[in-house]
């Protein structure tokens, strides 16, 4: 009956949000990052993301500079994996510096991965950047078969009959996820080759200085897992990243860099 149809339409309209009730999703933003050689990389950041992918983090910027200053002993001719990459700056820099293959990952969110692919496709240094660098969604601690499948059979692991692994890992500004430390170390263990030169770089800022001890607990777990932990870098930025945050300002401006390698003997902290 028409009356029943009109009543249903009225109820439907009553429970619909008015046009403009919710603010529109923030648009993507663009930032430029200048390499030490003067080359400019333009990065697109997602408009907003609950996983913080809409920021260009200090840890990512500083580890990118570290790679450039030590390119011969870091990513040149290496097979590189980045975890929790956001916009992917360190991975893009690794590709530019001559990595053989780079796999850049973040949480399997469609917007995050699409944004990584956009940034990869717009590396001006390469005619076909996707032949060198690829993006995947990945949950820390989960099996890494799809990541390792990107690698050719060339590592010391493959010579022993095991799957090839990465010889260089990058983790930038991930340690504030305290509940994920075990998952992160599981993934490092799954994916880092056991060759003497293989290493993982862990760069971070204690954005919540009162929780620095919990940030650093990651490295105690790393030693227990079988890694040698070495501090390799410390840099103070000109200003804090989040001006409205509280806590020690100097710590909130400081980026610390550590390196993990598989221990050949009793694990230790250097």
């Amino acid at each position: 009956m028409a009356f029943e149809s009109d009543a249903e339409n009225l109820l439907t309209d009553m429970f619909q949000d008015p046009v403009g009730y919710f603010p529109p999703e923030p648009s993507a933003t663009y930032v430029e990052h200048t390499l030490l050689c003067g080359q400019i990389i333009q990065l697109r950041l997602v408009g907003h993301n609950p996983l913080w992918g809409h920021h260009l983090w200090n840890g990512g910027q500083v580890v990118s500079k570290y790679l450039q200053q030590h390119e011969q002993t870091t990513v040149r001719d290496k097979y590189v994996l980045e975890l929790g990459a956001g916009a992917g700056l360190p991975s893009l820099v690794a590709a530019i510096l001559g990595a053989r293959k780079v796999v850049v990952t973040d949480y399997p969110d469609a917007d995050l991965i699409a944004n990584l692919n956009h940034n990869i496709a717009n590396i001006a240094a390469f005619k076909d950047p996707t032949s060198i660098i690829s993006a995947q969604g990945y949950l820390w601690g989960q099996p890494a078969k799809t990541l390792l499948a990107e690698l050719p059979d060339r590592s010391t692991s493959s010579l022993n009959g095991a799957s090839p692994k990465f010889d260089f890992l990058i983790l930038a500004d991930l340690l504030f996820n305290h509940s994920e430390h075990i998952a992160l170390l599981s993934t490092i263990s799954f994916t880092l080759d056991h060759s003497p030169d293989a290493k993982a770089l862990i760069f971070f800022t204690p954005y919540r200085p009162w929780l620095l001890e919990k940030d650093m607990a990651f490295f105690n777990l790393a030693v227990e897992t079988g890694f040698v932990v070495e501090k390799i870098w410390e840099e103070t930025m000109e200003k804090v990243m989040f001006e409205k945050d509280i806590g020690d300002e100097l710590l909130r401006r400081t980026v610390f860099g550590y390196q993990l390698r598989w221990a050949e003997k009793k694990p230790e902290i250097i």
Side-chain angles (χ1 to χ4, degrees):
M1 295 176 62
F3 174 77
E4 292 177 349
S5 177
D6 290 343
E8 290 176 359
N9 291 336
L10 179 60
L11 287 172
T12 300
D13 292 340
M14 285 176 62
F15 290 100
Q16 284 184 342
D17 296 316
V19 176
Y21 180 78
F22 291 105
E25 288 290 326
S27 300
T29 58
Y30 292 83
V31 296
E32 290 186 345
H33 182 84
T34 303
L35 303 184
L36 297 181
C37 66
Q39 179 181 343
I40 296 175
I41 298 177
Q42 186 181 71
L43 295 168
R44 189 177 74 177
L45 307 177
V46 293
H48 179 75
N49 191 277
L51 302 170
W52 310 286
H54 52 295
H55 296 294
L56 183 60
W57 293 81
N58 286 342
Q61 297 183 66
V62 173
V63 75
S64 296
K65 183 168 72 173
Y66 181 87
L67 297 180
Q68 295 169 75
Q69 293 174 331
H70 303 83
E71 61 178 282
Q72 297 296 334
T73 57
T74 54
V75 294
R76 177 70 62 84
D77 294 326
K78 295 293 194 295
Y79 295 88
V80 179
L81 171 67
E82 183 178 4
L83 303 177
L89 175 63
S91 287
L92 299 176
V93 170
I96 291 170
L97 293 176
R100 289 183 182 272
K101 176 67 179 181
V102 181
V103 179
V104 54
T105 70
D106 209 323
Y107 185 84
D109 171 85
D111 290 339
L112 285 176
I113 305 307
N115 193 69
L116 280 171
N117 281 317
H118 171 89
N119 288 334
I120 290 170
N122 285 277
I123 302 178
F126 303 109
K127 291 182 179 179
D128 181 18
T130 57
S131 65
I132 300 172
I133 179 170
S134 60
Q136 286 194 33
Y138 175 72
L139 284 174
W140 304 332
Q142 296 301 304
K145 290 183 179 179
T146 60
L147 307 180
L148 298 175
E150 299 271 2
L151 300 175
D153 292 334
R154 49 81 210 151
S155 72
T156 55
S157 297
S158 64
L159 294 177
N160 295 325
S163 300
K165 296 186 177 183
F166 294 90
D167 39 29
F168 200 89
L169 270 61
I170 302 171
L171 291 76
D173 273 334
L174 304 183
L175 296 194
F176 67 92
N177 295 286
H178 302 142
S179 64
E180 298 299 315
H181 284 183
I182 293 176
L184 284 169
L185 282 165
S186 294
T187 293
I188 296 173
S189 299
F190 296 157
T191 59
L192 185 64
D193 194 72
H194 277 261
S195 62
D197 294 332
K199 63 187 70 172
L201 296 192
I202 320 292
F203 278 55
F204 76 101
T205 291
Y207 295 104
R208 299 169 294 176
W210 61 93
L211 296 177
L212 176 58
E213 185 176 348
K214 290 190 174 183
D215 295 341
M216 295 298 294
F218 173 87
F219 299 108
N220 293 327
L221 287 172
V223 170
E224 294 174 8
T225 304
F227 292 102
V228 173
V229 178
E230 179 182 3
K231 184 179 180 182
I232 58 172
W233 199 254
E234 182 174 326
E235 181 171 336
T236 302
M237 310 297 281
E238 291 185 5
K239 59 182 182 179
V240 296
M241 186 168 172
F242 303 105
E243 295 181 356
K244 295 182 179 180
D245 281 1
I246 60 174
D248 187 294
E249 182 180 323
L250 180 60
L251 278 175
R252 291 190 293 122
R253 288 194 291 120
T254 304
V255 178
F256 299 96
Y258 286 79
Q259 174 181 279
L260 304 188
R261 292 178 290 108
W262 285 109
E264 297 180 4
K265 51 183 180 179
K266 184 179 179 180
E268 58 182 331
I269 297 181
I270 299 176

Short mmCIF file of all heavy atoms in Angstrom, two decimals, residues 51-85:
data_model
loop_
_atom_site.label_atom_id
_atom_site.label_comp_id
_atom_site.label_asym_id
_atom_site.label_seq_id
_atom_site.Cartn_x
_atom_site.Cartn_y
_atom_site.Cartn_z
N LEU A 51 46.45 4.86 11.62
CA LEU A 51 47.74 4.21 11.83
C LEU A 51 48.89 5.20 11.64
O LEU A 51 50.04 4.80 11.49
CB LEU A 51 47.89 3.03 10.87
CG LEU A 51 46.79 1.97 11.02
CD1 LEU A 51 46.87 0.97 9.88
CD2 LEU A 51 46.90 1.26 12.35
N TRP A 52 48.58 6.48 11.62
CA TRP A 52 49.57 7.57 11.58
C TRP A 52 50.34 7.66 10.26
O TRP A 52 51.41 8.26 10.21
CB TRP A 52 50.56 7.43 12.76
CG TRP A 52 49.88 7.24 14.06
CD1 TRP A 52 49.20 8.17 14.79
CD2 TRP A 52 49.77 6.02 14.80
NE1 TRP A 52 48.68 7.61 15.94
CE2 TRP A 52 49.02 6.28 15.98
CE3 TRP A 52 50.25 4.72 14.59
CZ2 TRP A 52 48.73 5.31 16.92
CZ3 TRP A 52 49.95 3.74 15.55
CH2 TRP A 52 49.21 4.05 16.68
N GLY A 53 49.78 7.09 9.20
CA GLY A 53 50.46 7.15 7.91
C GLY A 53 50.40 8.51 7.26
O GLY A 53 50.99 8.71 6.19
N HIS A 54 49.69 9.47 7.87
CA HIS A 54 49.57 10.80 7.27
C HIS A 54 50.68 11.74 7.75
O HIS A 54 50.63 12.94 7.49
CB HIS A 54 48.20 11.41 7.59
CG HIS A 54 47.84 11.41 9.04
ND1 HIS A 54 47.65 10.26 9.76
CD2 HIS A 54 47.65 12.43 9.92
CE1 HIS A 54 47.34 10.56 11.01
NE2 HIS A 54 47.34 11.87 11.14
N HIS A 55 51.69 11.19 8.44
CA HIS A 55 52.83 11.99 8.88
C HIS A 55 54.11 11.53 8.18
O HIS A 55 54.25 10.36 7.83
CB HIS A 55 53.05 11.85 10.40
CG HIS A 55 51.93 12.38 11.24
ND1 HIS A 55 51.60 13.73 11.29
CD2 HIS A 55 51.06 11.76 12.08
CE1 HIS A 55 50.59 13.90 12.12
NE2 HIS A 55 50.23 12.72 12.60
N LEU A 56 55.04 12.47 7.99
CA LEU A 56 56.40 12.13 7.59
C LEU A 56 57.23 12.18 8.87
O LEU A 56 57.59 13.25 9.35
CB LEU A 56 56.94 13.11 6.55
CG LEU A 56 58.34 12.80 6.00
CD1 LEU A 56 58.36 11.43 5.32
CD2 LEU A 56 58.80 13.88 5.05
N TRP A 57 57.53 11.03 9.41
CA TRP A 57 58.09 10.93 10.75
C TRP A 57 59.58 11.26 10.77
O TRP A 57 60.31 11.04 9.80
CB TRP A 57 57.87 9.53 11.30
CG TRP A 57 56.42 9.23 11.54
CD1 TRP A 57 55.50 8.85 10.61
CD2 TRP A 57 55.73 9.32 12.78
NE1 TRP A 57 54.27 8.69 11.20
CE2 TRP A 57 54.38 8.97 12.54
CE3 TRP A 57 56.11 9.65 14.08
CZ2 TRP A 57 53.43 8.95 13.54
CZ3 TRP A 57 55.17 9.62 15.09
CH2 TRP A 57 53.83 9.27 14.82
N ASN A 58 60.04 11.78 11.93
CA ASN A 58 61.44 12.14 12.07
C ASN A 58 62.36 10.94 11.89
O ASN A 58 63.42 11.05 11.28
CB ASN A 58 61.68 12.77 13.45
CG ASN A 58 61.14 14.18 13.55
OD1 ASN A 58 60.89 14.83 12.55
ND2 ASN A 58 60.98 14.66 14.77
N GLY A 59 61.97 9.80 12.45
CA GLY A 59 62.80 8.61 12.32
C GLY A 59 63.06 8.22 10.88
O GLY A 59 64.17 7.85 10.51
N GLY A 60 62.02 8.33 10.05
CA GLY A 60 62.17 8.02 8.63
C GLY A 60 63.10 8.98 7.92
O GLY A 60 63.88 8.60 7.04
N GLN A 61 63.02 10.27 8.28
CA GLN A 61 63.89 11.26 7.65
C GLN A 61 65.35 11.06 8.05
O GLN A 61 66.25 11.15 7.21
CB GLN A 61 63.43 12.67 8.05
CG GLN A 61 62.03 13.01 7.55
CD GLN A 61 61.64 14.43 7.88
OE1 GLN A 61 62.23 15.39 7.38
NE2 GLN A 61 60.65 14.59 8.75
N VAL A 62 65.57 10.77 9.33
CA VAL A 62 66.95 10.63 9.80
C VAL A 62 67.58 9.33 9.30
O VAL A 62 68.75 9.32 8.89
CB VAL A 62 67.00 10.71 11.34
CG1 VAL A 62 68.41 10.40 11.85
CG2 VAL A 62 66.58 12.11 11.80
N VAL A 63 66.83 8.22 9.30
CA VAL A 63 67.41 6.99 8.79
C VAL A 63 67.70 7.12 7.30
O VAL A 63 68.68 6.55 6.79
CB VAL A 63 66.51 5.77 9.09
CG1 VAL A 63 65.30 5.71 8.19
CG2 VAL A 63 67.31 4.47 8.96
N SER A 64 66.90 7.90 6.58
CA SER A 64 67.15 8.13 5.16
C SER A 64 68.48 8.88 4.97
O SER A 64 69.25 8.57 4.05
CB SER A 64 66.00 8.93 4.54
OG SER A 64 64.80 8.18 4.58
N LYS A 65 68.73 9.84 5.83
CA LYS A 65 70.01 10.56 5.75
C LYS A 65 71.17 9.64 6.12
O LYS A 65 72.23 9.68 5.47
CB LYS A 65 69.99 11.77 6.69
CG LYS A 65 71.26 12.60 6.62
CD LYS A 65 71.13 13.94 7.32
CE LYS A 65 71.10 13.79 8.81
NZ LYS A 65 71.14 15.11 9.50
N TYR A 66 70.96 8.81 7.12
CA TYR A 66 72.00 7.85 7.51
C TYR A 66 72.36 6.93 6.35
O TYR A 66 73.54 6.64 6.10
CB TYR A 66 71.53 7.04 8.72
CG TYR A 66 72.55 6.04 9.21
CD1 TYR A 66 73.52 6.40 10.12
CD2 TYR A 66 72.52 4.72 8.75
CE1 TYR A 66 74.45 5.47 10.57
CE2 TYR A 66 73.45 3.79 9.19
CZ TYR A 66 74.41 4.17 10.10
OH TYR A 66 75.34 3.26 10.54
N LEU A 67 71.35 6.46 5.63
CA LEU A 67 71.60 5.58 4.47
C LEU A 67 72.46 6.29 3.44
O LEU A 67 73.38 5.69 2.86
CB LEU A 67 70.29 5.14 3.84
CG LEU A 67 69.34 4.30 4.69
CD1 LEU A 67 68.07 3.96 3.89
CD2 LEU A 67 70.00 3.04 5.21
N GLN A 68 72.19 7.55 3.20
CA GLN A 68 72.96 8.31 2.21
C GLN A 68 74.40 8.51 2.66
O GLN A 68 75.33 8.47 1.84
CB GLN A 68 72.30 9.67 1.98
CG GLN A 68 70.93 9.59 1.35
CD GLN A 68 70.22 10.93 1.38
OE1 GLN A 68 70.54 11.83 0.61
NE2 GLN A 68 69.27 11.07 2.29
N GLN A 69 74.60 8.73 3.96
CA GLN A 69 75.94 8.97 4.47
C GLN A 69 76.76 7.69 4.57
O GLN A 69 77.99 7.74 4.68
CB GLN A 69 75.87 9.64 5.84
CG GLN A 69 75.30 11.05 5.79
CD GLN A 69 75.09 11.65 7.17
OE1 GLN A 69 74.86 10.93 8.13
NE2 GLN A 69 75.17 12.98 7.26
N HIS A 70 76.09 6.53 4.52
CA HIS A 70 76.78 5.25 4.66
C HIS A 70 76.32 4.28 3.57
O HIS A 70 76.19 3.07 3.81
CB HIS A 70 76.50 4.64 6.04
CG HIS A 70 76.89 5.51 7.19
ND1 HIS A 70 76.08 6.52 7.67
CD2 HIS A 70 78.02 5.54 7.94
CE1 HIS A 70 76.70 7.13 8.68
NE2 HIS A 70 77.86 6.56 8.87
N GLU A 71 76.10 4.78 2.38
CA GLU A 71 75.47 3.95 1.35
C GLU A 71 76.30 2.72 0.98
O GLU A 71 75.74 1.66 0.64
CB GLU A 71 75.16 4.77 0.10
CG GLU A 71 76.36 5.38 -0.59
CD GLU A 71 75.96 6.13 -1.85
OE1 GLU A 71 75.71 5.48 -2.87
OE2 GLU A 71 75.88 7.37 -1.79
N GLN A 72 77.61 2.81 1.05
CA GLN A 72 78.44 1.67 0.67
C GLN A 72 78.31 0.51 1.65
O GLN A 72 78.52 -0.65 1.28
CB GLN A 72 79.91 2.11 0.57
CG GLN A 72 80.18 3.13 -0.51
CD GLN A 72 79.91 2.60 -1.91
OE1 GLN A 72 79.98 1.40 -2.15
NE2 GLN A 72 79.60 3.48 -2.84
N THR A 73 77.98 0.81 2.90
CA THR A 73 77.90 -0.24 3.92
C THR A 73 76.47 -0.51 4.38
O THR A 73 76.27 -1.27 5.33
CB THR A 73 78.75 0.14 5.16
OG1 THR A 73 78.30 1.41 5.66
CG2 THR A 73 80.22 0.22 4.79
N THR A 74 75.50 0.12 3.72
CA THR A 74 74.10 -0.11 4.11
C THR A 74 73.34 -0.80 2.97
O THR A 74 73.28 -2.02 2.92
CB THR A 74 73.42 1.21 4.53
OG1 THR A 74 73.55 2.19 3.47
CG2 THR A 74 74.02 1.75 5.81
N VAL A 75 72.78 -0.03 2.05
CA VAL A 75 71.82 -0.61 1.11
C VAL A 75 72.34 -0.90 -0.29
O VAL A 75 71.66 -1.56 -1.08
CB VAL A 75 70.57 0.31 1.00
CG1 VAL A 75 69.82 0.35 2.31
CG2 VAL A 75 70.97 1.72 0.56
N ARG A 76 73.51 -0.41 -0.64
CA ARG A 76 74.05 -0.65 -1.99
C ARG A 76 74.15 -2.15 -2.26
O ARG A 76 74.78 -2.88 -1.52
CB ARG A 76 75.41 0.03 -2.12
CG ARG A 76 76.13 -0.20 -3.46
CD ARG A 76 75.44 0.53 -4.60
NE ARG A 76 75.44 1.97 -4.40
CZ ARG A 76 76.45 2.78 -4.73
NH1 ARG A 76 77.56 2.28 -5.26
NH2 ARG A 76 76.33 4.08 -4.55
N ASP A 77 73.49 -2.59 -3.35
CA ASP A 77 73.49 -3.99 -3.78
C ASP A 77 72.82 -4.93 -2.79
O ASP A 77 73.02 -6.14 -2.85
CB ASP A 77 74.92 -4.48 -4.05
CG ASP A 77 75.56 -3.77 -5.23
OD1 ASP A 77 74.83 -3.45 -6.19
OD2 ASP A 77 76.77 -3.53 -5.19
N LYS A 78 71.98 -4.40 -1.89
CA LYS A 78 71.34 -5.23 -0.88
C LYS A 78 69.87 -5.49 -1.23
O LYS A 78 69.26 -4.81 -2.05
CB LYS A 78 71.42 -4.55 0.49
CG LYS A 78 72.82 -4.40 1.03
CD LYS A 78 73.44 -5.74 1.36
CE LYS A 78 74.70 -5.62 2.20
NZ LYS A 78 75.80 -4.96 1.53
N TYR A 79 69.33 -6.51 -0.56
CA TYR A 79 67.90 -6.82 -0.64
C TYR A 79 67.26 -6.27 0.63
O TYR A 79 67.55 -6.74 1.73
CB TYR A 79 67.69 -8.32 -0.78
CG TYR A 79 68.24 -8.86 -2.09
CD1 TYR A 79 69.57 -9.26 -2.18
CD2 TYR A 79 67.44 -8.91 -3.23
CE1 TYR A 79 70.09 -9.73 -3.38
CE2 TYR A 79 67.95 -9.38 -4.42
CZ TYR A 79 69.28 -9.77 -4.49
OH TYR A 79 69.79 -10.23 -5.69
N VAL A 80 66.40 -5.28 0.46
CA VAL A 80 65.95 -4.43 1.57
C VAL A 80 64.47 -4.63 1.84
O VAL A 80 63.65 -4.69 0.92
CB VAL A 80 66.22 -2.94 1.24
CG1 VAL A 80 65.74 -2.03 2.37
CG2 VAL A 80 67.71 -2.71 0.98
N LEU A 81 64.13 -4.69 3.12
CA LEU A 81 62.73 -4.75 3.57
C LEU A 81 62.50 -3.63 4.57
O LEU A 81 63.27 -3.46 5.51
CB LEU A 81 62.44 -6.10 4.23
CG LEU A 81 61.09 -6.24 4.94
CD1 LEU A 81 59.94 -6.19 3.93
CD2 LEU A 81 61.04 -7.54 5.76
N GLU A 82 61.41 -2.86 4.38
CA GLU A 82 61.02 -1.86 5.36
C GLU A 82 59.67 -2.25 5.96
O GLU A 82 58.74 -2.62 5.24
CB GLU A 82 60.92 -0.46 4.75
CG GLU A 82 60.58 0.59 5.82
CD GLU A 82 60.52 2.02 5.30
OE1 GLU A 82 60.66 2.23 4.07
OE2 GLU A 82 60.30 2.93 6.12
N LEU A 83 59.56 -2.13 7.28
CA LEU A 83 58.32 -2.40 7.99
C LEU A 83 57.69 -1.09 8.46
O LEU A 83 58.41 -0.16 8.83
CB LEU A 83 58.58 -3.30 9.20
CG LEU A 83 59.25 -4.65 8.94
CD1 LEU A 83 59.50 -5.37 10.27
CD2 LEU A 83 58.40 -5.50 8.02
N GLY A 84 56.35 -1.03 8.44
CA GLY A 84 55.66 0.16 8.92
C GLY A 84 56.10 1.43 8.23
O GLY A 84 56.43 2.43 8.88
N ALA A 85 56.08 1.42 6.90
CA ALA A 85 56.79 2.43 6.12
C ALA A 85 56.08 3.77 6.00
O ALA A 85 56.72 4.76 5.64
CB ALA A 85 57.08 1.89 4.72
#
